[in-house]
C-alpha cells in the first residue's frame, strides 16, 4: 500500500491545465493596447481581482469537488484522488476522563516542541513545554540524514525529561509519548507510519519510506531514554483530539498556518480501502485528508500562482495549499507588486527588494491589510523596511492594500469552501439527520488566529455557503496548540484502552 501511495504521489497536474479545464474559468483576455503607466498598473490589479473572484457558485463547485475527491481517496489506496485521505487509526477521541502524565513531541516546522501534560480526569492540571530550533543542516543538505534528525530530536527530548526528573515533576512508571508528525505518512497502525514525502523546508532523503516511529524509538533507546511512542498523529488530528476534549461536538479540524490541512471523523464503513478486519469496534475513524494537495479545474488560478508553482520545490503539487496557506500569501502579493512595479516604476519607487522571492511574508501582508491610519503609514513603513521601497504615495499604498485584500479574500473563501466540502461529505448539510446536529470545526494556526480579516472573511463565507438556517448549527472556533496537547491526549486515550 505504501508503494502505491508513493506512486500516486508522483502524478503531476499543472496549475495551467487545471485552469484550462474549468468550465467556469474566464476566457483569455485579448491583448490590450498601449496605455499610460498608471493605467497599466491599475489594469494589473483589475485583472487580478477578476482572476481571483470567488462567487458563491464557484465556491459551491469547489466544495462539491472537495467532497468528491474525499470519496475517491477513501475508495482505494493510491487511486486517482489527489487527496491521500490517510487512515489515522485513531478510532476514538479523548473524553475528558483521562488521568496521568503524558509526553508529546510536535514536529512540523523549523522548530519542534516537547511537552509534558498532566491530566486530572476532567481537565489539564499542568502543562510544561519547550521549543527547540532545528539546525538547517539537520533538515536539508548533504549532511541531513534520518539518523542525524531523529538523533537530534531524541537528545533534546532526553534533556527535557532529565530536567523534569531533577525537579521532581514526574509521576513514575512507564513514560508514553504522543508523536505529532506533520508530514504525509502511510500509517499501518496507531503507532507506526512510513514517510511518503517531506514538505516545507525538510529534505532528508533517506527518511522517505522509513517508519518514523521506529526511527525515533531507536534514537531514544540509543540515548537511554525509557519512553514508548504510543500514538503517531499529525497536527491536524491533534487539533481534532484537543478540540473534542473540550467539546464533544467537534467533527473536524483545520490547520491554517504556514501550511494547511484538515482531519475529520468518518464512519468507518465508508472507508472502502479498509479491509473488513481493520474496521474498529467504535465504527468511527479519524481521517487525515492531506487537503493541501487538493486540485480542481474550478480553483481560481492566476498567472502568479502558475509561476510560483513552476518555480517551487514541488511543481504540480499542493495546489490548494499554495492558494490558501500562510507560506504562500506573501509571495503571491510580492509577485503582483513586482508586475505593478514593472508597469509603473514610479508608483512603488523602484523595485527595491521586490525581485527577492519570499521576502514578503504573510504577517507583513496582514499588517498592511489591517492598516487603518489616515495616510496608510503602516503600509509605507512595511514597504520601506521589508522591500526597501521609500517615498510611496497614498495612491500607491492604497493599491498595495487592494492587492493584499484580493489575495487574502480568495484564500479565506477557498478555505471556507473546503470546510463546507467536509461537512457535505459527512452529511452535516444538504439534508439528512446529520444536518440537524451541532457541528464544530476546530481551527488552529497563526493565519486563522492572527489575521483578523482572513478569519472574518472565512467565517462569513461558510455562512454564505451553508445558508443562515444550516449555519446556526455550525461553529468554527479557534483551538490553540492542538498539535502539542492533542498528541498527549491521543496517547492517553490509547493508553487507557491498552
Amino acid at each position: 500500500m505504501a508503494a502505491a501511495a508513493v506512486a500516486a504521489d508522483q502524478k503531476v497536474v499543472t496549475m495551467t491545465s487545471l485552469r484550462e479545464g474549468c468550465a467556469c474559468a474566464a476566457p483569455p483576455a485579448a491583448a490590450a493596447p498601449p496605455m499610460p503607466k498608471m493605467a497599466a498598473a491599475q489594469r494589473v490589479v483589475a485583472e487580478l481581482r477578476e482572476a481571483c473572484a470567488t462567487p458563491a457558485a464557484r465556491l459551491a463547485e469547489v466544495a462539491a469537488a472537495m467532497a468528491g475527491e474525499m470519496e475517491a481517496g477513501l475508495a482505494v489506496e493510491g487511486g486517482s484522488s489527489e487527496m491521500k485521505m490517510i487512515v489515522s487509526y485513531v478510532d476514538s477521541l479523548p473524553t475528558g476522563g483521562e488521568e496521568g502524565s503524558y509526553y508529546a513531541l510536535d514536529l512540523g516546522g523549523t522548530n519542534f516542541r516537547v511537552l509534558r501534560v498532566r491530566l486530572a480526569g476532567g481537565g489539564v492540571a499542568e502543562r510544561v513545554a519547550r521549543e527547540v530550533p532545528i539546525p538547517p543542516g539537520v533538515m536539508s543538505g548533504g549532511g541531513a540524514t534520518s539518523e542525524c534528525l531523529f538523533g537530534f530530536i531524541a537528545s533534546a527530548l532526553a534533556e527535557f525529561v532529565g530536567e523534569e526528573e531533577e525537579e521532581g515533576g514526574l509521576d513514575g512508571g512507564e513514560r508514553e509519548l504522543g508523536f505529532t508528525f506533520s508530514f504525509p505518512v502511510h500509517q499501518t497502525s496507531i503507532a507506526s507510519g512510513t514517510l511518503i514525502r517531506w514538505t516545507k523546508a525538510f529534505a532528508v532523503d533517506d527518511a522517505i519510506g522509513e517508519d518514523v516511529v521506529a526511527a525515533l524509538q531507536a534514537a531514544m533507546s540509543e540515548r537511554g531514554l525509557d519512553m514508548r511512542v504510543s500514538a503517531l498523529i499529525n497536527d491536524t488530528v491533534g487539533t481534532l483530539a484537543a478540540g473534542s476534549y473540550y467539546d464533544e461536538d467537534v467533527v473536524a479540524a483545520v490547520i491554517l498556518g504556514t501550511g494547511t490541512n484538515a482531519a475529520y471523523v468518518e464512519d468507518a464503513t465508508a472507508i472502502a480501502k479498509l479491509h473488513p478486519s481493520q474496521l474498529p469496534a467504535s465504527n468511527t475513524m479519524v481521517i487525515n485528508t492531506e487537503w493541501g494537495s487538493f486540485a480542481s479545474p474550478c480553483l481560481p488560478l492566476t498567472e502568479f500562482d502558475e509561476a510560483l508553482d513552476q518555480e517551487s520545490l514541488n511543481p504540480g503539487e499542493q495546489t490548494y495549499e499554495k492558494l490558501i496557506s500562510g507560506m504562500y500569501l506573501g509571495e503571491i502579493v510580492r509577485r503582483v507588486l513586482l508586475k505593478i512595479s514593472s508597469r509603473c516604476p514610479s508608483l512603488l519607487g523602484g523595485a527595491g527588494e521586490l525581485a527577492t522571492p519570499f521576502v514578503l511574508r504573510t504577517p507583513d501582508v496582514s499588517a498592511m491589510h489591517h492598516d487603518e491610519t489616515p495616510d496608510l503609514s503602516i503600509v509605507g513603513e512595511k514597504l520601506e523596511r521589508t522591500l526597501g521601497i521609500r517615498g510611496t504615495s497614498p495612491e500607491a499604498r492604497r493599491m498595495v492594500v487592494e492587492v493584499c485584500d484580493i489575495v487574502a479574500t480568495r484564500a479565506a473563501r477557498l478555505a471556507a469552501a473546503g470546510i463546507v466540502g467536509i461537512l457535505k461529505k459527512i452529511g452535516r448539510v444538504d439534508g439528512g439527520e446529520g444536518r440537524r446536529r451541532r457541528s464544530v470545526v476546530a481551527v488552529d494556526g497563526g493565519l486563522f488566529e492572527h489575521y483578523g480579516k482572513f478569519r472574518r472573511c472565512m467565517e462569513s463565507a461558510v455562512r454564505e455557503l451553508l445558508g443562515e438556517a444550516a449555519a446556526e448549527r455550525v461553529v468554527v472556533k479557534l483551538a490553540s496548540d492542538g498539535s502539542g496537547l492533542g498528541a498527549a491526549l491521543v496517547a492517553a486515550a490509547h493508553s487507557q484502552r491498552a
Side-chain angles (χ1 to χ4, degrees):
M1 292 172 69
V6 173
D9 193 56
Q10 293 173 343
K11 179 176 63 177
V12 174
V13 179
T14 66
M15 285 191 171
T16 302
S17 67
L18 284 173
R19 184 167 63 163
E20 291 172 348
C22 180
C24 53
M35 61 182 71
K37 290 182 178 179
M38 178 58 73
Q42 292 170 339
R43 176 69 178 269
V44 171
V45 177
E47 290 176 348
L48 176 72
R49 184 174 293 280
E50 181 179 0
C52 288
T54 52
R58 181 187 284 262
L59 292 181
E61 291 179 349
V62 171
M66 174 74 75
E69 284 289 293
M70 292 170 67
E71 191 77 41
L74 292 175
V76 60
E77 197 72 51
S80 61
S81 175
E82 293 289 330
M83 295 169 64
K84 297 293 173 269
M85 301 299 288
I86 297 168
V87 177
S88 72
Y89 293 91
V90 174
D91 57 10
S92 63
L93 292 167
T95 63
E98 293 79 13
E99 296 182 343
S101 290
Y102 298 88
Y103 287 86
L105 169 63
D106 179 13
L107 175 62
T110 54
N111 297 334
F112 68 87
R113 292 184 303 148
V114 292
L115 303 88
R116 180 177 62 82
V117 176
R118 183 162 62 85
L119 305 175
V124 178
E126 182 184 24
R127 176 164 42 180
V128 182
R130 173 181 298 172
E131 188 165 301
V132 182
I134 305 174
V138 173
M139 293 188 294
S140 62
T145 65
S146 174
E147 183 178 2
C148 182
L149 173 63
F150 288 106
F152 179 81
I153 292 170
S155 294
L157 187 55
E159 181 180 342
F160 177 78
V161 171
E163 292 177 2
E164 288 280 289
E165 287 177 337
E166 290 177 4
E167 296 173 5
L170 298 180
D171 297 346
E174 184 182 26
R175 303 186 192 96
E176 294 194 79
L177 175 76
F179 183 13
T180 299
F181 186 73
S182 300
F183 304 92
V185 296
H186 173 68
Q187 282 196 248
T188 53
S189 74
I190 196 169
S192 64
T194 55
L195 177 64
I196 296 173
R197 69 172 184 274
W198 291 107
T199 58
K200 304 165 190 174
F202 285 78
V204 184
D205 292 343
D206 69 335
I208 296 175
E210 180 179 53
D211 186 336
V212 295
V213 172
L216 176 62
Q217 199 74 63
M220 292 191 297
S221 296
E222 288 175 5
R223 287 155 181 79
L225 180 58
D226 184 17
M227 183 173 286
R228 181 177 73 91
V229 180
S230 56
L232 173 68
I233 63 173
N234 77 339
D235 55 352
T236 324
V237 175
T239 298
L240 180 59
S244 68
Y245 185 74
Y246 295 107
D247 190 330
E248 64 181 5
D249 291 329
V250 169
V251 296
V254 173
I255 299 293
L256 287 167
T258 303
T260 185
N261 196 9
Y264 73 103
V265 181
E266 180 62 273
D267 182 337
T269 59
I271 310 172
K273 64 184 177 182
L274 271 186
H275 188 273
S277 64
Q278 296 176 299
L279 294 177
S282 66
N283 200 39
T284 61
M285 184 71 76
V286 174
I287 298 295
N288 164 26
T289 67
E290 290 296 331
W291 82 354
S293 60
F294 170 64
S296 167
C298 282
L299 288 173
L301 302 174
T302 70
E303 62 182 276
F304 308 103
D305 304 309
E306 291 164 1
L308 184 156
D309 176 60
Q310 289 303 310
E311 296 168 22
S312 70
L313 296 174
N314 54 347
E317 301 176 4
Q318 299 299 106
T319 301
Y320 192 54
E321 182 169 76
K322 289 170 182 173
L323 295 175
I324 72 171
S325 77
M327 181 173 181
Y328 297 102
L329 298 188
E331 174 63 6
I332 295 169
V333 170
R334 179 196 71 83
R335 288 170 178 269
V336 177
L337 297 183
L338 181 62
K339 182 172 182 178
I340 290 173
S341 177
S342 71
R343 295 292 188 271
C344 184
S346 61
L347 187 67
L348 292 175
E353 296 295 320
L354 272 175
T356 304
F358 290 95
V359 68
L360 191 66
R361 301 175 306 116
T362 296
D364 301 321
V365 172
S366 176
M368 294 190 292
H369 196 182
H370 288 93
D371 189 358
E372 296 181 353
T373 60
D375 60 349
L376 297 176
S377 60
I378 295 173
V379 176
E381 290 171 6
K382 283 291 180 183
L383 292 174
E384 181 172 348
R385 293 179 183 178
T386 306
L387 300 174
I389 298 173
R390 299 176 176 81
T392 51
S393 66
E395 184 177 19
R397 296 175 187 180
R398 284 193 295 271
M399 188 172 289
V400 170
V401 173
E402 186 175 4
V403 171
C404 294
D405 179 72
I406 293 169
V407 172
T409 296
R410 178 186 66 167
R413 288 176 65 81
L414 288 176
I419 289 172
V420 172
I422 291 176
L423 295 175
K424 285 173 68 70
K425 171 64 184 68
I426 60 176
R428 295 302 179 107
V429 295
D430 297 339
E433 290 297 321
R435 67 185 177 88
R436 289 194 285 270
R437 299 170 58 186
R438 180 172 179 264
S439 302
V440 179
V441 180
V443 185
D444 195 3
L447 184 60
F448 181 79
E449 182 175 5
H450 301 301
Y451 198 150
K453 288 190 174 183
F454 176 97
R455 176 176 178 172
R456 290 189 291 273
C457 180
M458 188 188 86
E459 293 169 339
S460 175
V462 169
R463 290 193 298 271
E464 178 185 351
L465 288 171
L466 292 175
E468 289 302 321
E472 288 296 320
R473 294 180 294 276
V474 174
V475 179
V476 178
K477 68 179 184 181
L478 181 67
S480 297
D481 192 29
S483 58
L485 174 61
L489 290 171
V490 173
H494 184 61
S495 174
Q496 298 293 322
R497 300 199 308 272

